[in-house]
Amino acid sequence: MPAAKDTGPDESSGRLGAFIQSSGYVRKWLILGIAIGVIAGVGAVVFYQLLKYAGEFLLGYLADYRIPTPVGEDGHHPASGFHRPWAIPLVTTAGAFLSAVIVAWLAPEAEGHGTDEAIEAVHSYPTNIRSRVVLVKMVASALTIGSGGSGGREGPTAQISAGFGSLLTRRLNLPVEDGRIAVAVGIGSGIGAIFGAPLGGAVLATSIIYREDLEYRSLVPGFIASATAYAVLGSIMGFEPLFGFVDAEYRFEEAWPLLWFALIGVIAAAIGYLYARVFYWTVALTDRLPGGVLKPTFGGLLVGLLGLLIPQILSSGYGWIQEAIARPTLTAIPLWIVLALPIAKIVATSLSIGTGGSGGIFGPGIVIGAFVGAAIWRVGELWGLPGVPSDPGIFVVVGMMACFGSVAHAPLAIMIMVAEMTGSFAAIPGAIIAVGIASLLMSRSGVSIYRSQRLNRETAEAERARQSA
């Protein structure tokens, strides 16, 4: 059956488009920003509920295993333990298979983590994101993550609001440059909404599309969209930070304890580099292998088997960050798991998403970073090293900021987002050192977790000029 033709904007959208085009900067982006923000907030709520029920049925009912949840998701609940361990690999395999079939059948471009596709849309096709991709991404990601696949929920929410920004500019016949801003703002507000981090989301809209530059034109629209998305999400789900208010104060009475944060920065950069390399090595290997939907299915099987050994790698893992933040719950996790978890989560995410599954890579990145900080704290505390705080909270928070902030080349945005997610702006002094060192080291490598990022605005404009010539 041939696809229906797009007959272009109707009369009402044409009038609205003409009105917005004739509006000044403030009125135009007030209207567009609020519209994108409402969709970002509603989309985040819808996807959160879809993912919640998918997880409760697939992992909870079928496998009789319940993952821990963070404070901001109806209160913290610990993991239930394996009652049907044989069912875990079956569920992860079935979820990966169903997700892969839906993507292959309805929207092949929904494969992968989503945010990279949205970034590429900013640069190459800001008015041409298919609406179908958004719906397919939501369902496929809910199946992947809800069945235990290692992925984040930010990819689908970024595509929801980015796709709506693209739809707006297309239907209202707005200039392509407005489309670039609208899609970038959609990415930032969508990710900011699902994590309850409006300021970080606004800053992310300016920084995520380049490695060494900022898209300053997205900042003010990003403020409007992110604030709106946060208001919508909070009015429905509450305004509690995702991980509650973490006590991450660290009083410096001498300068030398700052070396701990320098160490976190160095190790976080190394783990972030490994994350990007292993993930894209898996993508390249998968692309060369035959098998179609069987490739992510086999990846789901391997994740399920690994999850029997290290349960912390299953699903999003945000509840395990909550466990790592507090001393009693972190010390209850075996030391070898704390030390192995950053690498295990990299492997699990590569198998879940890098093989063609659907889900984000932002969420796993902050879990990886959290356990980098947790591992450093556990070793320092075990050996009684001086300068190690009595509680691991600040090391965990700073590890999240440094690891993913550096590999995403968005250090300021990620630092703000994690501070909002934990209510821990007191961690900023130590985080500046760790994030700064990690970002400097990562910038030397040329590696990014988002391959669609351009180096800066100048190279992006030169590329567009070559394509239009």
Side-chain angles (χ1 to χ4, degrees):
M1 181 177 177
K5 292 183 178 179
D6 186 354
T7 57
D10 59 26
E11 186 178 350
S12 60
S13 64
R15 287 197 299 268
L16 180 58
F19 171 75
I20 292 177
Q21 289 183 55
S22 65
S23 299
Y25 177 86
V26 173
R27 185 167 63 183
K28 175 172 68 176
W29 285 110
L30 188 63
I31 296 171
L32 296 177
I34 290 174
I36 293 170
V38 168
I39 296 300
V42 172
V45 171
V46 170
F47 182 66
Y48 170 79
Q49 295 297 333
L50 183 63
L51 182 58
K52 175 183 176 182
Y53 290 121
E56 288 179 352
F57 177 74
L58 295 171
L59 273 182
Y61 177 74
L62 296 181
D64 201 13
Y65 173 67
R66 287 161 182 82
I67 61 174
T69 57
V71 168
E73 296 180 2
D74 301 324
H76 175 56
H77 302 288
S80 64
F82 291 141
H83 300 293
R84 299 179 196 148
W86 54 268
I88 297 294
L90 297 179
V91 168
T92 57
T93 304
F97 174 72
L98 290 174
S99 173
V101 168
I102 290 172
V103 168
W105 182 35
L106 296 175
E109 62 266 48
E111 177 184 304
H113 58 84
T115 308
D116 233 1
E117 287 73 14
I119 294 172
E120 184 60 42
V122 174
H123 296 295
S124 303
Y125 47 94
T127 62
N128 292 320
I129 298 177
R130 290 204 300 166
S131 301
R132 177 191 294 185
V133 175
V134 173
L135 297 176
V136 171
K137 189 72 178 179
M138 289 178 64
V139 175
S141 297
L143 287 170
T144 299
I145 303 169
S147 64
S150 179
R153 59 195 185 194
E154 79 291 337
T157 54
Q159 282 200 322
I160 291 168
S161 44
F164 180 71
S166 177
L167 177 65
L168 270 182
T169 55
R170 182 168 65 250
R171 289 296 182 185
L172 300 178
N173 199 28
L174 300 179
V176 172
E177 287 307 313
D178 284 349
R180 299 189 201 285
I181 296 173
V183 174
V185 166
I187 297 171
S189 60
I191 295 176
I194 199 68
F195 287 121
L199 178 57
V203 177
L204 190 68
T206 72
S207 57
I208 198 170
I209 62 175
Y210 301 117
R211 294 185 188 182
E212 298 179 359
D213 210 341
L214 297 174
E215 182 49 81
Y216 61 90
R217 293 173 297 181
S218 300
L219 185 60
V220 174
F223 284 146
I224 297 168
S226 290
T228 304
Y230 182 63
V232 171
L233 180 87
S235 65
I236 299 171
M237 299 181 60
F239 293 94
E240 178 85 1
L242 182 61
F243 301 110
F245 291 92
V246 179
D247 182 11
E249 292 192 19
Y250 191 85
R251 299 186 181 278
F252 295 102
E253 297 179 354
E254 297 178 277
W256 69 264
L258 290 170
L259 292 174
W260 279 110
F261 296 98
L263 178 64
I264 292 174
V266 171
I267 297 177
I271 296 296
Y273 177 88
L274 186 65
Y275 181 26
R277 284 298 195 189
V278 171
F279 182 83
Y280 285 109
W281 178 84
T282 306
V283 171
L285 177 63
T286 301
D287 288 342
R288 293 196 298 267
L289 295 175
V293 298
L294 296 180
K295 291 183 285 187
T297 304
F298 184 63
L301 172 61
L302 294 179
V303 168
L305 294 174
L306 180 59
L308 293 177
L309 181 65
I310 306 178
Q312 289 80 2
I313 60 99
L314 293 173
S315 197
S316 62
Y318 305 138
W320 291 110
I321 295 178
Q322 193 76 62
E323 303 264 301
I325 284 170
R327 181 189 182 102
T329 47
L330 177 58
T331 53
I333 301 174
L335 177 60
W336 74 268
I337 288 183
V338 175
L339 296 176
L341 189 54
I343 305 300
K345 190 68 174 174
I346 289 172
V347 172
T349 307
S350 300
L351 291 171
S352 294
I353 312 302
T355 57
S358 187
I361 55 176
F362 185 121
I366 64 171
V367 176
I368 292 164
F371 276 87
V372 168
I376 293 172
W377 182 86
R378 281 291 298 270
V379 171
E381 192 268 346
L382 181 66
W383 291 351
L385 299 178
V388 176
S390 58
D391 290 304
I394 188 157
F395 278 22
V396 172
V397 170
V398 171
M400 285 191 276
M401 295 174 175
C403 185
F404 198 75
S406 61
V407 77
H409 293 272
L412 179 60
I414 305 302
M415 193 186 312
I416 295 171
M417 289 187 74
V418 173
E420 290 179 291
M421 289 155 60
T422 59
S424 299
F425 282 92
I428 294 296
I432 290 173
I433 297 171
V435 175
I437 290 174
S439 298
L440 286 173
L441 292 173
M442 195 65 68
S443 67
R444 300 280 295 179
S445 71
V447 170
S448 175
I449 200 68
Y450 296 125
R451 286 192 162 180
S452 293
Q453 287 175 328
R454 304 312 195 253
L455 184 64
N456 51 42
R457 284 182 293 156
E458 183 179 353
T459 57
E461 289 170 1
E463 178 185 320
R464 288 195 289 269
R466 287 194 303 270
Q467 292 173 347
S468 62

